[in-house]
Amino acid sequence: MKKNKKVTSRIEKLCAENGVKFTHQRRIIAEVISNSDDHPDANEVYLRANKIDSRISLATVYRTIKLFEEYNVLNRIELGGKRARYEELNEDEHHDHLIDIDSGEIIEFVNEEIENLQMKVAKKLGYELVDHRMELFGKKILKKN
Amino acid sequence: MKKNKKVTSRIEKLCAENGVKFTHQRRIIAEVISNSDDHPDANEVYLRANKIDSRISLATVYRTIKLFEEYNVLNRIELGGKRARYEELNEDEHHDHLIDIDSGEIIEFVNEEIENLQMKVAKKLGYELVDHRMELFGKKILKKN
DNA sequence: CTATGTGCAAAGGGTTTGCAGGGGA
DNA sequence: TCCCCTGCAAACCCTTTGCACATAG
């Protein structure tokens, strides 16, 4: 699901456009997120960023994450009151998640058919579908030998 | 979406079966939830229960909510890091939510077609679908006069 | 009677914020 | 330079928990 390897420059551009400084910390956090395929939480992002440069604090990670969310570069995944997890967000593509209830692993998938039905449901209720969130919780099917 | 008006007795039975006391507080909290059609959060449940009987504390509301969740009498709805909200859960029926992004209103709906597709998706990924969560976020379509 | 449940207040855990110093543009 | 950004630690908010007392069965 990782197609856009240029988040860093994409963010740099967004910062420039919005008159926001592209700081050292923001660059590193952008890189960390770009290089993470595993939906890390804020603390994990902090640890990874901090390993690259110890000048980065958890507070900055939170502030930066929020900024990136506003720029639609980052997507927050809420998992039942626990720590929120994050993933890079590409402009063109949308996917949902299947969560392995045993391992916590998150698998991404795309299903247009469901998306279309969602739009239809919303319309029928008198709403324009603006966004949606869908998570499936599953148990791995073990192959019989 | 409120079909089962007998949650109270349903819970009483569950308590008996599990060797758990059906206390005064549990009865009142059960009633409050049964009489709420608006997905209240824990604090709101506390306020409503407390109005009926001031002996009820917020801690007990949380403990009771957790108990009812285990009994599958109550369903937790997580909305983006804010307070969790709750709704009565009926044994037979499953529904999802459409949230009005302007008013915060929650509308319930049922769509079997989507449920079937979800099962299919999970299966294709090698998983047995155990549960799911789906929220649509929509904007009310204003009728043109 | 006694194990379970409760109220209270304090602790927890994730996230946010005030402040004074730091550093991009 | 000048304001935005950052680190630090404290504050916040919702939720959970330890303890001593209360109570359902």
Side-chain angles (χ1 to χ4, degrees):
Chain A
M1 286 291 164
K2 190 120 313 210
K3 291 170 189 168
N4 182 357
K5 285 293 178 196
K6 298 278 192 210
V7 226
T8 308
S9 55
R10 190 176 147 206
I11 290 171
E12 184 167 13
K13 201 176 151 196
L14 279 163
C15 288
E17 286 169 359
N18 291 66
V20 157
K21 289 176 186 166
F22 189 57
T23 60
H24 181 75
Q25 287 85 335
R26 286 177 179 160
R27 174 190 298 277
I28 295 201
I29 292 168
E31 275 168 11
V32 164
I33 289 164
S34 177
N35 294 330
S36 300
D37 276 25
D38 58 346
H39 312 83
D41 58 43
N43 193 58
E44 190 56 41
V45 171
Y46 163 66
L47 292 175
R48 292 179 194 178
N50 204 263
K51 201 182 286 180
I52 297 171
D53 187 322
S54 59
R55 275 183 291 169
I56 294 175
S57 71
L58 183 55
T60 295
V61 169
Y62 273 108
R63 284 189 275 235
T64 304
I65 280 174
K66 186 176 278 184
L67 183 75
F68 289 178
E69 269 191 276
E70 282 162 15
Y71 288 170
N72 286 311
V73 169
L74 203 59
N75 184 36
R76 178 199 302 249
I77 311 173
E78 299 272 356
L79 292 176
K82 317 215 170 292
R83 287 172 173 157
R85 294 171 62 173
Y86 300 88
E87 65 181 357
E88 191 186 327
L89 197 63
N90 296 316
E91 288 141 309
D92 42 2
E93 163 229 300
H94 172 78
H95 62 255
D96 291 291
H97 300 105
L98 186 153
I99 293 125
D100 186 315
I101 56 171
D102 295 315
S103 71
E105 192 192 351
I106 298 182
I107 295 128
E108 302 175 353
F109 68 87
V110 181
N111 190 299
E112 295 237 4
E113 221 177 323
I114 293 180
E115 313 255 314
N116 289 335
L117 282 171
Q118 289 174 335
M119 233 173 304
K120 239 167 75 179
V121 166
K123 203 172 199 173
K124 202 162 71 182
L125 294 170
Y127 282 84
E128 179 202 348
L129 188 62
V130 173
D131 197 5
H132 77 260
R133 188 166 65 200
M134 174 166 66
E135 279 111 35
L136 308 185
F137 298 89
K139 217 177 170 60
K140 214 164 219 159
I141 298 170
L142 301 171
K143 294 211 179 79
K144 307 155 193 166
N145 343 314
Chain B
M1 283 297 159
K2 191 122 312 214
K3 292 172 191 166
N4 182 359
K5 286 291 178 195
K6 299 279 192 208
V7 225
T8 308
S9 55
R10 190 175 147 206
I11 289 170
E12 184 167 11
K13 199 176 151 196
L14 279 163
C15 286
E17 285 169 0
N18 290 66
V20 157
K21 291 176 186 168
F22 188 57
T23 61
H24 180 76
Q25 288 82 338
R26 285 179 181 159
R27 175 192 297 279
I28 295 203
I29 292 168
E31 276 168 12
V32 164
I33 288 163
S34 176
N35 294 329
S36 300
D37 276 25
D38 58 346
H39 311 85
D41 57 44
N43 193 58
E44 191 54 42
V45 171
Y46 163 66
L47 291 175
R48 293 179 195 177
N50 204 263
K51 201 182 288 180
I52 297 172
D53 188 322
S54 60
R55 276 184 289 170
I56 295 175
S57 73
L58 183 55
T60 295
V61 168
Y62 273 108
R63 283 189 276 233
T64 304
I65 280 173
K66 186 176 277 182
L67 183 73
F68 290 178
E69 271 191 274
E70 282 162 16
Y71 288 170
N72 285 313
V73 170
L74 204 58
N75 184 37
R76 178 198 303 250
I77 312 172
E78 300 270 355
L79 291 177
K82 316 218 171 289
R83 288 173 174 155
R85 293 169 64 174
Y86 300 89
E87 65 180 358
E88 190 187 328
L89 198 62
N90 297 316
E91 287 140 309
D92 40 2
E93 162 229 301
H94 171 79
H95 61 254
D96 291 291
H97 300 105
L98 185 153
I99 294 124
D100 185 316
I101 56 170
D102 296 315
S103 71
E105 191 193 351
I106 300 183
I107 295 129
E108 302 175 353
F109 68 87
V110 181
N111 189 300
E112 294 237 4
E113 223 177 322
I114 294 180
E115 313 256 313
N116 289 335
L117 282 170
Q118 288 174 335
M119 231 172 307
K120 238 165 81 178
V121 166
K123 200 172 200 173
K124 202 162 72 183
L125 294 170
Y127 282 82
E128 179 203 348
L129 188 61
V130 172
D131 196 7
H132 77 260
R133 186 165 67 200
M134 174 167 65
E135 280 112 35
L136 308 185
F137 298 91
K139 219 178 169 58
K140 214 165 218 156
I141 299 171
L142 301 171
K143 292 209 178 81
K144 307 157 194 164
N145 345 311

